[in-house]
Amino acid sequence: VAMETTSLEHQIQSVQRHIAFLKKEQTELLHDLHLEILRLQKHCSELTHDLEIKELEARQQDVLDRELEERCRAMEAQLQEKEKDNMELRKE
């Protein structure tokens, strides 16, 4: 009976050591996962910021493109008007 009690006590101590080891491993894993989540959140924020800047730049470029197209059309209209004036002057 004493032998069985000693054996059971050793088994209990062994199980307690395994539990302590697993708790330590779990704590370290959770800590590492938390750090990884923070890193990914930061990276996501940076990517979102970059995307917002690119979208803003694209919108500004669209506005500039439209302005240039309008100026180009106005210049073409002026050119046609001048060519028409030149033709009339040549006829005279």
Side-chain angles (χ1 to χ4, degrees), residues 36-87:
E36 181 66 9
I37 288 168
L38 291 175
R39 186 189 69 77
L40 289 171
Q41 285 174 331
K42 182 180 180 216
H43 186 62
C44 183
S45 294
E46 290 168 352
L47 290 174
T48 301
H49 178 71
D50 291 348
L51 181 61
E52 289 169 349
I53 288 175
K54 286 180 181 177
E55 288 174 347
L56 177 62
E57 289 172 348
R59 275 187 252 122
Q60 289 173 339
Q61 188 61 49
D62 288 344
V63 169
L64 288 174
D65 289 348
R66 275 187 253 119
E67 287 175 1
L68 286 174
E69 285 177 18
E70 289 172 17
R71 288 159 107 191
C72 208
R73 279 190 225 107
M75 298 289 266
E76 286 173 347
Q78 284 180 356
L79 179 62
Q80 287 177 353
E81 192 65 34
K82 298 285 182 193
E83 286 176 345
K84 187 175 144 189
D85 291 346
N86 279 343
M87 289 285 224

Side-chain angles (χ1 to χ4, degrees), residues 25-43:
E25 288 292 308
Q26 180 187 31
T27 301
E28 289 175 5
L29 178 63
L30 287 173
H31 177 72
D32 290 346
L33 287 172
H34 181 67
L35 291 177
E36 181 66 9
I37 288 168
L38 291 175
R39 186 189 69 77
L40 289 171
Q41 285 174 331
K42 182 180 180 216
H43 186 62

